[in-house]
Coordinates of all heavy atoms in Angstrom, one line a residue:
M155 N 88.2 18.9 83.0 CA 89.2 18.0 82.9 C 90.5 18.6 83.5 O 90.8 19.8 83.2 CB 89.3 17.8 81.4 CG 90.5 16.7 81.1 SD 90.5 16.1 79.4 CE 90.6 17.6 78.4
H156 N 91.3 17.8 84.0 CA 92.6 18.3 84.7 C 93.6 18.4 83.6 O 93.7 17.6 82.6 CB 93.1 17.3 85.7 CG 92.1 17.3 86.8 ND1 92.0 18.3 87.8 CD2 91.2 16.3 87.2 CE1 91.1 17.9 88.7 NE2 90.6 16.8 88.4
A157 N 94.5 19.3 83.6 CA 95.5 19.6 82.7 C 96.7 18.5 82.9 O 97.4 18.3 81.8 CB 96.1 20.9 82.7
D158 N 96.8 18.0 83.9 CA 98.0 17.0 84.2 C 97.6 15.6 83.8 O 98.4 14.7 83.7 CB 98.4 17.0 85.7 CG 97.2 16.6 86.6 OD1 96.0 16.7 86.2 OD2 97.5 16.3 87.7
R159 N 96.3 15.4 83.4 CA 95.9 14.1 82.9 C 95.7 14.1 81.4 O 95.3 15.0 80.9 CB 94.6 13.6 83.5 CG 94.7 13.2 84.9 CD 93.4 12.6 85.3 NE 92.3 13.2 84.8 CZ 91.0 13.1 85.1 NH1 90.7 12.2 86.1 NH2 90.0 13.7 84.5
P160 N 95.9 12.9 80.6 CA 95.7 12.9 79.3 C 94.2 12.8 79.0 O 93.5 12.5 79.8 CB 96.4 11.6 78.8 CG 96.5 10.7 80.0 CD 96.6 11.7 81.1
P161 N 93.8 13.3 77.9 CA 92.4 13.1 77.6 C 92.0 11.7 77.6 O 92.7 10.8 77.5 CB 92.3 13.7 76.2 CG 93.6 14.2 75.8 CD 94.6 13.8 76.7
D162 N 90.6 11.5 77.8 CA 90.0 10.2 77.9 C 90.3 9.4 76.6 O 90.5 8.1 76.7 CB 88.6 10.3 78.0 CG 88.2 10.9 79.3 OD1 89.0 10.9 80.4 OD2 87.1 11.5 79.6
R163 N 90.4 9.9 75.5 CA 90.7 9.2 74.3 C 92.2 8.9 74.1 O 92.6 8.2 73.2 CB 90.2 10.0 73.0 CG 91.0 11.2 72.7 CD 90.4 12.0 71.7 NE 91.1 13.2 71.3 CZ 91.0 14.2 71.9 NH1 90.2 14.4 72.9 NH2 91.8 15.3 71.6
A164 N 93.1 9.2 75.1 CA 94.5 8.9 75.0 C 94.7 7.4 75.2 O 94.0 6.7 75.8 CB 95.2 9.6 76.1
T165 N 95.7 6.9 74.3 CA 96.0 5.5 74.4 C 96.9 5.2 75.5 O 97.5 6.1 76.1 CB 96.7 5.2 73.0 OG1 97.9 5.8 72.8 CG2 95.6 5.5 71.8
G166 N 97.2 4.0 75.7 CA 98.2 3.4 76.7 C 99.6 4.1 76.4 O 100.4 4.3 77.3
G167 N 99.8 4.2 75.1 CA 101.2 4.6 74.7 C 101.3 6.0 75.0 O 102.5 6.5 75.4
T168 N 100.3 7.0 74.9 CA 100.3 8.2 75.3 C 100.5 8.4 76.8 O 101.3 9.3 77.3 CB 99.1 9.0 74.8 OG1 98.9 8.8 73.5 CG2 99.1 10.5 75.3
R169 N 99.9 7.6 77.6 CA 100.1 7.7 79.0 C 101.4 7.3 79.4 O 102.1 7.9 80.2 CB 99.1 6.7 79.7 CG 97.6 7.3 79.6 CD 96.7 6.3 80.5 NE 95.4 6.9 80.4 CZ 94.5 6.3 79.5 NH1 94.8 5.2 78.9 NH2 93.3 6.8 79.4
R170 N 102.0 6.3 78.7 CA 103.5 5.9 79.1 C 104.4 7.1 78.6 O 105.3 7.3 79.4 CB 103.9 4.6 78.1 CG 103.3 3.4 78.7 CD 104.0 2.3 78.0 NE 103.7 2.1 76.7 CZ 102.6 1.5 76.0 NH1 101.8 0.9 76.8 NH2 102.5 1.5 74.8
I171 N 104.1 7.8 77.5 CA 104.9 9.0 77.2 C 104.8 9.9 78.3 O 105.9 10.6 78.7 CB 104.5 9.5 75.9 CG1 104.7 8.5 74.7 CG2 105.1 10.8 75.4 CD1 106.2 8.2 74.4
R172 N 103.6 10.3 78.8 CA 103.5 11.3 79.7 C 104.2 10.9 81.0 O 104.8 11.8 81.8 CB 102.0 11.7 80.1 CG 101.4 12.2 78.7 CD 100.3 12.9 79.0 NE 99.7 13.4 77.7 CZ 99.1 14.6 77.6 NH1 98.8 15.3 78.7 NH2 98.7 15.0 76.4
V173 N 104.2 9.6 81.4 CA 104.8 9.2 82.6 C 106.3 9.4 82.4 O 107.0 9.8 83.2 CB 104.4 7.8 82.9 CG1 105.5 7.1 84.1 CG2 103.1 7.7 83.4
A174 N 106.9 8.9 81.2 CA 108.2 9.0 80.8 C 108.7 10.5 80.9 O 109.8 10.7 81.4 CB 108.6 8.4 79.5
E175 N 107.9 11.4 80.4 CA 108.2 12.9 80.5 C 108.2 13.3 81.9 O 109.1 14.1 82.2 CB 107.0 13.5 79.8 CG 107.3 13.5 78.3 CD 106.0 14.1 77.6 OE1 105.0 14.5 78.3 OE2 105.9 14.2 76.4
G176 N 107.3 12.9 82.8 CA 107.5 13.2 84.2 C 108.8 12.7 85.0 O 109.4 13.4 85.6
V177 N 109.1 11.5 84.5 CA 110.4 10.9 85.1 C 111.6 11.7 84.6 O 112.5 11.9 85.4 CB 110.4 9.4 84.7 CG1 111.8 8.9 85.1 CG2 109.2 8.5 85.4
V178 N 111.6 12.0 83.3 CA 112.8 12.7 82.8 C 112.8 14.1 83.5 O 113.9 14.5 83.9 CB 112.6 12.9 81.2 CG1 113.7 13.9 80.8 CG2 112.8 11.6 80.5
C179 N 111.6 14.8 83.6 CA 111.8 16.1 84.3 C 112.1 16.0 85.7 O 113.0 16.7 86.2 CB 110.4 16.8 84.2 SG 110.0 17.3 82.5
G180 N 111.7 15.0 86.5 CA 112.0 14.8 87.8 C 113.6 14.5 88.0 O 114.2 15.1 88.9
V181 N 114.0 13.5 87.2 CA 115.5 13.2 87.3 C 116.4 14.4 86.9 O 117.3 14.6 87.5 CB 115.7 11.9 86.5 CG1 117.2 11.6 86.3 CG2 115.0 10.7 87.0
L182 N 115.9 15.0 86.0 CA 116.8 16.3 85.5 C 116.7 17.3 86.7 O 117.8 18.0 86.9 CB 116.2 16.8 84.3 CG 116.9 17.9 83.6 CD1 118.5 17.4 83.3 CD2 116.4 18.5 82.4
A183 N 115.5 17.5 87.3 CA 115.4 18.4 88.3 C 116.4 18.1 89.6 O 117.1 18.9 90.1 CB 114.0 18.5 88.8
V184 N 116.4 16.7 89.8 CA 117.3 16.3 91.0 C 118.8 16.5 90.5 O 119.5 16.8 91.3 CB 117.0 14.8 91.3 CG1 118.2 14.3 92.1 CG2 115.7 14.7 92.0
A185 N 119.1 16.2 89.1 CA 120.6 16.4 88.8 C 120.9 17.8 88.9 O 122.1 18.2 89.4 CB 120.7 15.9 87.4
V186 N 120.0 18.8 88.5 CA 120.3 20.1 88.6 C 120.5 20.6 90.1 O 121.3 21.4 90.5 CB 119.3 21.0 88.0 CG1 119.5 22.4 88.1 CG2 119.4 20.8 86.4
L187 N 119.7 20.2 90.9 CA 119.7 20.4 92.4 C 121.0 20.0 93.0 O 121.7 20.6 93.7 CB 118.5 19.8 93.0 CG 118.5 20.0 94.6 CD1 118.3 21.6 95.0 CD2 117.4 19.2 95.2
L188 N 121.4 18.8 92.6 CA 122.7 18.2 93.1 C 123.9 19.0 92.6 O 124.9 19.1 93.3 CB 122.7 16.6 92.7 CG 121.9 15.8 93.6 CD1 121.9 14.4 93.0 CD2 121.9 15.9 95.0
S189 N 123.8 19.5 91.4 CA 124.7 20.3 90.7 C 125.0 21.5 91.5 O 126.1 22.1 91.7 CB 124.7 20.4 89.3 OG 124.7 19.3 88.6
T190 N 123.8 22.2 91.9 CA 123.8 23.4 92.7 C 124.5 23.1 93.9 O 125.3 24.0 94.4 CB 122.4 23.9 92.8 OG1 121.8 24.0 91.6 CG2 122.3 25.2 93.6
V191 N 124.2 22.0 94.6 CA 124.7 21.7 95.9 C 126.3 21.5 95.8 O 127.1 21.9 96.4 CB 124.2 20.4 96.5 CG1 124.9 20.0 97.8 CG2 122.8 20.7 96.9
E192 N 126.7 20.9 94.6 CA 128.0 20.7 94.3 C 128.9 22.0 94.2 O 130.0 22.1 94.7 CB 128.3 19.8 93.1 CG 129.6 19.7 92.6 CD 130.7 18.7 93.4 OE1 130.1 18.1 94.3 OE2 131.8 19.0 93.4
A193 N 128.1 22.9 93.4 CA 128.9 24.2 93.1 C 129.0 25.1 94.4 O 130.0 25.7 94.5 CB 128.0 24.9 92.0
F194 N 128.0 25.0 95.2 CA 128.1 25.9 96.4 C 128.5 25.3 97.6 O 129.3 26.1 98.4 CB 126.8 26.7 96.5 CG 126.3 27.5 95.5 CD1 125.3 27.3 94.6 CD2 127.0 28.7 95.3 CE1 124.9 28.0 93.6 CE2 126.6 29.7 94.2 CZ 125.6 29.3 93.4
A195 N 128.2 24.1 97.9 CA 128.6 23.6 99.2 C 129.8 22.6 99.2 O 130.5 22.4 100.2 CB 127.4 22.7 99.7
R196 N 130.2 22.1 98.0 CA 131.3 21.1 98.0 C 131.3 20.1 99.1 O 132.1 20.1 99.9 CB 132.6 21.9 98.0 CG 132.8 22.8 96.7 CD 133.3 22.1 95.6 NE 133.6 23.1 94.6 CZ 133.9 22.7 93.4 NH1 133.8 21.6 93.1 NH2 134.1 23.7 92.5
P197 N 130.3 19.3 99.0 CA 130.2 18.2 100.1 C 131.5 17.3 100.1 O 131.9 16.9 99.1 CB 129.0 17.4 99.7 CG 128.1 18.3 98.8 CD 129.1 19.1 98.1
A198 N 131.9 16.9 101.3 CA 133.1 16.1 101.5 C 132.7 14.6 101.7 O 133.7 13.9 101.8 CB 133.8 16.6 102.6
A199 N 131.5 14.3 101.6 CA 131.1 12.8 101.9 C 131.9 12.0 100.8 O 131.7 12.3 99.6 CB 129.6 12.6 101.9
P200 N 132.3 10.7 101.2 CA 132.9 10.0 100.1 C 131.8 9.4 99.1 O 132.4 9.1 98.0 CB 133.4 8.9 100.9 CG 132.7 8.8 102.3 CD 132.3 10.2 102.5
W201 N 130.6 9.4 99.4 CA 129.6 8.8 98.5 C 129.2 10.0 97.5 O 128.4 9.7 96.6 CB 128.5 8.2 99.1 CG 127.9 9.0 100.4 CD1 128.3 8.9 101.6 CD2 127.0 10.0 100.2 NE1 127.6 9.8 102.4 CE2 126.7 10.6 101.4 CE3 126.2 10.8 99.2 CZ2 125.9 11.6 101.7 CZ3 125.4 11.6 99.5 CH2 125.2 12.2 100.7
W202 N 129.5 11.1 97.8 CA 128.9 12.4 97.0 C 129.3 12.3 95.5 O 128.3 12.5 94.8 CB 129.3 13.7 97.7 CG 128.9 14.7 96.9 CD1 129.6 15.7 96.0 CD2 127.6 15.2 96.8 NE1 128.7 16.5 95.4 CE2 127.5 16.4 95.9 CE3 126.3 14.9 97.3 CZ2 126.3 17.0 95.6 CZ3 125.2 15.6 97.1 CH2 125.1 16.6 96.2
P203 N 130.5 12.1 95.1 CA 130.7 12.1 93.6 C 129.9 11.0 93.0 O 129.4 11.2 91.8 CB 132.2 11.7 93.6 CG 132.8 12.2 94.9 CD 131.7 11.9 96.0
F204 N 129.7 9.8 93.6 CA 128.9 8.8 93.0 C 127.5 9.4 92.7 O 127.0 9.1 91.7 CB 128.8 7.6 93.9 CG 128.1 6.5 93.4 CD1 128.4 5.6 92.3 CD2 126.8 6.3 94.0 CE1 127.6 4.7 91.8 CE2 125.9 5.4 93.5 CZ 126.3 4.4 92.5
V205 N 126.9 9.9 93.7 CA 125.4 10.4 93.6 C 125.3 11.6 92.7 O 124.4 11.6 91.8 CB 125.0 10.9 95.1 CG1 123.6 11.5 94.9 CG2 124.7 9.8 96.0
W206 N 126.2 12.5 92.7 CA 126.2 13.7 91.8 C 126.4 13.3 90.4 O 125.5 13.8 89.5 CB 127.2 14.7 92.3 CG 127.4 15.8 91.4 CD1 126.4 16.8 91.3 CD2 128.5 16.2 90.5 NE1 126.9 17.8 90.4 CE2 128.1 17.5 90.1 CE3 129.7 15.6 90.4 CZ2 128.9 18.1 89.2 CZ3 130.5 16.3 89.5 CH2 130.2 17.5 88.9
Q207 N 127.3 12.5 90.1 CA 127.7 12.1 88.7 C 126.6 11.1 88.2 O 126.2 11.3 87.0 CB 129.0 11.5 88.6 CG 130.2 12.6 88.9 CD 131.4 11.9 88.9 OE1 131.6 10.7 89.0 NE2 132.4 12.8 89.1
N208 N 126.0 10.2 89.0 CA 125.1 9.2 88.4 C 123.8 9.9 88.3 O 122.9 9.3 87.4 CB 125.1 8.1 89.3 CG 126.3 7.1 89.1 OD1 126.8 7.2 88.0 ND2 126.8 6.6 90.2
A209 N 123.5 11.0 88.9 CA 122.2 11.7 88.6 C 122.2 12.1 87.2 O 121.1 12.1 86.5 CB 122.1 12.8 89.6
W210 N 123.3 12.6 86.7 CA 123.4 13.2 85.2 C 123.4 11.9 84.3 O 122.7 11.9 83.4 CB 124.6 14.0 85.0 CG 124.4 15.3 85.7 CD1 125.0 15.8 86.7 CD2 123.5 16.3 85.1 NE1 124.6 17.1 87.0 CE2 123.6 17.4 86.0 CE3 122.7 16.3 84.1 CZ2 122.9 18.5 85.8 CZ3 122.1 17.6 83.7 CH2 122.1 18.6 84.7
T211 N 123.9 10.9 84.7 CA 123.9 9.6 84.0 C 122.4 9.1 83.8 O 122.0 8.8 82.8 CB 124.8 8.5 84.5 OG1 126.2 9.1 84.6 CG2 124.9 7.2 83.7
L212 N 121.7 9.1 85.0 CA 120.4 8.6 85.0 C 119.5 9.5 84.1 O 118.6 9.0 83.5 CB 119.9 8.4 86.5 CG 118.5 8.0 86.6 CD1 118.4 6.5 86.1 CD2 118.2 8.0 88.1
S213 N 119.8 10.8 84.2 CA 118.9 11.8 83.3 C 119.1 11.5 81.8 O 118.2 11.6 81.0 CB 119.3 13.2 83.7 OG 120.6 13.6 83.3
A214 N 120.4 11.1 81.4 CA 120.7 10.8 80.1 C 119.9 9.5 79.6 O 119.4 9.4 78.5 CB 122.2 10.7 79.8
I215 N 120.0 8.6 80.5 CA 119.2 7.3 80.3 C 117.8 7.5 80.0 O 117.2 7.0 79.2 CB 119.7 6.2 81.3 CG1 121.1 5.9 81.2 CG2 118.8 5.0 81.3 CD1 121.7 5.0 82.4
T216 N 117.3 8.2 81.0 CA 115.8 8.3 81.0 C 115.5 9.2 79.7 O 114.4 9.0 79.2 CB 115.2 9.1 82.2 OG1 115.9 10.3 82.5 CG2 115.4 8.2 83.4
L217 N 116.3 10.2 79.4 CA 115.9 10.8 78.2 C 116.1 10.2 76.9 O 115.2 10.1 76.0 CB 116.9 12.1 78.1 CG 116.6 13.1 76.9 CD1 115.4 13.7 77.1 CD2 117.8 14.1 76.8
G218 N 117.0 9.1 76.9 CA 116.9 8.1 75.8 C 115.8 7.3 75.7 O 115.3 7.1 74.6
C219 N 115.3 6.8 76.9 CA 114.1 6.0 76.9 C 112.9 6.9 76.4 O 112.1 6.1 75.7 CB 113.9 5.4 78.3 SG 115.1 4.2 78.8
W220 N 112.8 8.0 76.9 CA 111.7 8.8 76.3 C 111.8 9.1 74.9 O 110.7 9.0 74.2 CB 111.7 10.2 77.0 CG 110.8 11.2 76.5 CD1 109.5 11.2 76.8 CD2 111.0 12.1 75.5 NE1 108.9 12.2 76.0 CE2 109.9 12.7 75.3 CE3 112.1 12.5 74.8 CZ2 109.7 13.9 74.4 CZ3 112.1 13.6 73.9 CH2 110.9 14.2 73.7
A221 N 113.0 9.2 74.4 CA 113.1 9.4 72.9 C 112.7 8.2 72.1 O 111.9 8.3 71.2 CB 114.5 9.8 72.5
V222 N 112.9 7.1 72.6 CA 112.6 5.8 72.0 C 111.1 5.7 72.1 O 110.4 5.4 71.0 CB 113.2 4.5 72.5 CG1 112.6 3.2 72.2 CG2 114.7 4.6 72.3
L223 N 110.4 5.9 73.2 CA 109.0 5.8 73.3 C 108.4 6.9 72.4 O 107.4 6.6 71.7 CB 108.6 6.1 74.8 CG 109.0 5.0 75.8 CD1 108.6 5.3 77.1 CD2 108.0 3.8 75.4
R224 N 108.8 8.0 72.4 CA 108.2 9.2 71.6 C 108.3 8.8 70.0 O 107.4 9.1 69.4 CB 108.9 10.4 71.9 CG 108.3 11.7 71.2 CD 107.0 12.0 71.8 NE 106.5 13.2 71.1 CZ 105.2 13.4 70.7 NH1 104.3 12.5 70.8 NH2 105.0 14.5 70.1
T225 N 109.5 8.3 69.6 CA 109.6 7.8 68.3 C 108.7 6.8 67.9 O 108.1 6.8 66.7 CB 111.0 7.4 68.0 OG1 111.9 8.5 68.4 CG2 111.3 6.9 66.6
T226 N 108.4 5.7 68.8 CA 107.5 4.7 68.4 C 106.0 5.2 68.5 O 105.3 4.8 67.7 CB 107.6 3.5 69.3 OG1 107.4 3.9 70.7 CG2 109.1 2.8 69.3
E227 N 105.8 6.1 69.3 CA 104.4 6.8 69.4 C 104.2 7.5 68.0 O 103.1 7.3 67.4 CB 104.2 7.8 70.5 CG 102.9 8.3 70.5 CD 102.8 9.4 71.6 OE1 103.8 10.2 71.7 OE2 101.7 9.6 72.2
K228 N 105.2 8.3 67.5 CA 104.9 9.0 66.3 C 104.7 8.1 65.2 O 104.0 8.2 64.2 CB 106.1 10.0 66.1 CG 106.0 11.2 66.8 CD 107.0 12.2 66.5 CE 106.9 13.5 67.2 NZ 106.1 14.5 66.4
A229 N 105.6 7.0 65.2 CA 105.5 6.0 63.9 C 104.1 5.3 64.0 O 103.6 5.0 62.9 CB 106.6 5.0 64.1
D230 N 103.7 4.9 65.2 CA 102.3 4.3 65.2 C 101.2 5.3 64.9 O 100.3 5.0 64.1 CB 102.0 3.9 66.8 CG 102.9 2.7 67.2 OD1 103.4 2.0 66.3 OD2 102.8 2.5 68.5
A231 N 101.4 6.6 65.1 CA 100.5 7.7 64.7 C 100.5 7.7 63.2 O 99.3 7.9 62.5 CB 100.7 8.9 65.3
R232 N 101.6 7.7 62.5 CA 101.7 7.7 61.0 C 101.0 6.6 60.4 O 100.6 6.6 59.4 CB 103.2 8.0 60.6 CG 103.8 9.2 60.9 CD 105.1 9.4 60.3 NE 105.7 10.6 60.7 CZ 106.7 10.6 61.5 NH1 107.4 9.6 61.9 NH2 107.2 11.7 62.0
A233 N 101.3 5.4 61.1 CA 100.7 4.2 60.5 C 99.3 4.1 60.5 O 98.5 3.5 59.6 CB 101.4 3.0 61.2
N234 N 98.7 4.8 61.5 CA 97.2 4.8 61.8 C 96.5 5.9 60.8 O 95.3 5.8 60.7 CB 96.8 4.9 63.1 CG 97.1 3.8 63.9 OD1 97.3 2.7 63.4 ND2 97.5 3.8 65.3
R235 N 97.3 6.8 60.3 CA 96.8 7.9 59.6 C 96.5 7.5 58.2 O 97.4 6.7 57.6 CB 97.7 9.1 59.6 CG 97.1 10.3 59.3 CD 98.1 11.5 59.3 NE 99.1 11.3 60.4 CZ 100.2 11.9 60.2 NH1 100.6 12.8 59.4 NH2 101.1 11.8 61.3
R236 N 95.4 8.0 57.6 CA 95.1 7.6 56.2 C 96.1 8.4 55.3 O 96.4 9.6 55.5 CB 93.8 8.0 55.8 CG 92.7 7.1 56.1 CD 91.4 7.5 55.6 NE 91.3 8.8 55.2 CZ 90.2 9.6 55.0 NH1 89.1 9.1 55.4 NH2 90.1 10.9 54.7
P237 N 96.6 7.8 54.2 CA 97.4 8.5 53.3 C 96.6 9.7 52.6 O 95.4 9.5 52.3 CB 97.9 7.4 52.3 CG 97.0 6.4 52.3 CD 96.4 6.4 53.8
A238 N 97.3 10.6 52.2 CA 96.5 11.8 51.6 C 96.2 11.4 50.0 O 97.0 10.6 49.5 CB 97.4 13.1 51.6
A239 N 95.2 11.8 49.6 CA 94.8 11.4 48.1 C 95.9 12.2 47.3 O 96.2 13.3 47.5 CB 93.5 11.9 47.8
P240 N 96.4 11.6 46.2 CA 97.2 12.2 45.3 C 96.5 13.3 44.5 O 95.2 13.4 44.3 CB 97.7 11.1 44.2 CG 96.7 10.0 44.5 CD 96.1 10.3 45.8
P241 N 97.2 14.4 44.1 CA 96.6 15.5 43.3 C 95.8 15.0 42.1 O 96.4 14.1 41.4 CB 97.8 16.4 43.0 CG 98.9 15.9 43.8 CD 98.6 14.5 44.2
G242 N 94.8 15.6 41.8 CA 94.1 15.3 40.6 C 93.0 14.1 40.9 O 92.2 13.8 39.9
D243 N 92.9 13.5 42.0 CA 91.9 12.6 42.3 C 90.6 13.1 43.1 O 89.7 12.4 43.3 CB 92.5 11.5 43.2 CG 93.4 10.6 42.4 OD1 93.5 10.7 41.1 OD2 94.2 9.8 43.0
G244 N 90.7 14.4 43.4 CA 89.6 14.9 44.1 C 88.3 15.2 43.2 O 88.3 15.1 42.0
P245 N 87.2 15.6 43.7 CA 86.0 15.8 43.0 C 86.2 17.1 42.1 O 85.5 17.0 41.0 CB 84.9 16.1 44.0 CG 85.7 16.3 45.4 CD 87.0 15.7 45.2
A246 N 86.9 18.0 42.3 CA 87.2 19.2 41.5 C 87.8 18.8 40.3 O 87.6 19.3 39.2 CB 87.9 20.3 42.3
A247 N 88.7 17.9 40.3 CA 89.5 17.4 39.1 C 88.6 16.5 38.1 O 88.9 16.6 37.0 CB 90.7 16.6 39.5
Q248 N 87.6 15.9 38.7 CA 86.7 15.1 37.9 C 85.6 15.9 37.1 O 85.3 15.6 36.1 CB 86.2 13.9 38.8 CG 87.2 13.0 39.2 CD 86.8 12.0 40.1 OE1 85.6 11.9 40.4 NE2 87.6 11.1 40.6
G249 N 85.1 16.8 37.7 CA 84.0 17.5 37.2 C 84.1 19.0 37.4 O 83.1 19.8 37.3
G250 N 85.3 19.4 37.6 CA 85.4 21.0 37.7 C 85.5 21.7 36.5 O 85.4 21.3 35.5
D251 N 85.7 23.1 36.8 CA 85.8 24.0 35.6 C 87.1 24.1 34.9 O 87.2 24.5 33.8 CB 85.5 25.4 36.1 CG 84.1 25.5 36.7 OD1 83.2 24.8 36.2 OD2 83.9 26.5 37.5
E252 N 88.1 23.4 35.5 CA 89.5 23.5 34.9 C 89.5 22.5 33.8 O 89.0 21.3 33.9 CB 90.5 23.3 36.1 CG 90.4 24.3 37.1 CD 91.6 24.2 38.1 OE1 92.4 23.2 37.9 OE2 91.5 24.8 39.1
E253 N 90.4 22.8 32.9 CA 90.6 21.8 31.7 C 92.0 21.2 32.0 O 92.7 21.7 32.9 CB 90.7 22.6 30.4 CG 89.4 23.1 30.0 CD 89.5 23.8 28.6 OE1 90.6 23.8 28.0 OE2 88.5 24.6 28.3
P254 N 92.2 20.1 31.5 CA 93.5 19.4 31.7 C 94.7 20.3 31.3 O 94.6 21.2 30.5 CB 93.6 18.1 30.8 CG 92.0 17.9 30.5 CD 91.4 19.2 30.6
S255 N 95.9 20.1 31.9 CA 96.9 20.9 31.6 C 97.6 20.8 30.2 O 98.4 21.5 29.9 CB 98.0 20.7 32.7 OG 98.5 19.3 32.6
S256 N 97.1 20.0 29.5 CA 97.6 19.6 28.1 C 97.2 20.7 27.0 O 97.5 20.7 25.9 CB 97.1 18.2 27.5 OG 95.8 18.2 27.5
R257 N 96.5 21.7 27.6 CA 95.9 22.9 26.7 C 96.9 23.6 26.0 O 96.8 24.1 24.9 CB 95.0 23.7 27.6 CG 94.4 24.8 26.9 CD 93.4 25.6 27.8 NE 94.0 26.1 29.0 CZ 93.5 26.9 29.8 NH1 92.4 27.5 29.3 NH2 93.9 27.2 30.9
G258 N 98.0 23.9 26.8 CA 99.1 24.8 26.1 C 100.0 24.1 25.3 O 100.9 24.6 24.8
Q259 N 99.9 22.9 25.0 CA 100.9 22.1 24.2 C 100.4 21.9 22.8 O 99.5 21.6 22.2 CB 101.1 20.8 24.8 CG 101.8 20.9 26.2 CD 102.1 19.6 26.8 OE1 101.6 18.5 26.4 NE2 102.7 19.5 28.0

């Protein structure tokens, strides 16, 4: 199995999250690269400030989209998970060696 692919049991939501993560990383890498060019080369092209600043804006937007997708994925995972049994409902509490806690009163 390849490390860059989700497991076969991954849902469509998980695949969307992984694609969104890749987009966020790519856009952030481009923004950092453009900032490096800005710091060292100081391009004089009239369109340069638009490209350089909007790369950071796009990275913030994609990060926000990823956060929304990730939050919904976690909420779906919580909704699909069985709730934990409350204490005292297990087999040990029904027929175990321990006596009820009212012993000391």
Side-chain angles (χ1 to χ4, degrees):
M155 181 166 62
H156 296 288
D158 57 343
R159 284 191 324 189
D162 292 337
R163 65 184 183 277
T165 63
T168 303
R169 287 188 185 102
R170 283 191 297 269
I171 294 295
R172 294 200 182 211
V173 168
E175 288 171 351
V177 170
V178 168
C179 289
V181 169
L182 188 59
V184 168
V186 169
L187 178 67
L188 293 175
S189 292
T190 303
V191 170
E192 171 69 21
F194 291 110
R196 298 278 185 189
W201 47 266
W202 177 254
F204 175 79
V205 171
W206 176 66
Q207 293 169 356
N208 284 327
W210 285 105
T211 303
L212 186 60
S213 67
I215 291 169
T216 57
L217 185 61
C219 291
W220 171 82
V222 169
L223 286 171
R224 183 72 173 133
T225 302
T226 57
E227 180 192 38
K228 284 186 171 264
D230 290 344
R232 284 190 194 111
N234 292 336
R235 197 176 332 155
R236 277 191 341 208
D243 286 346
Q248 293 174 359
D251 295 336
E252 297 179 10
E253 294 180 11
S255 61
S256 61
R257 176 172 54 158
Q259 296 176 353

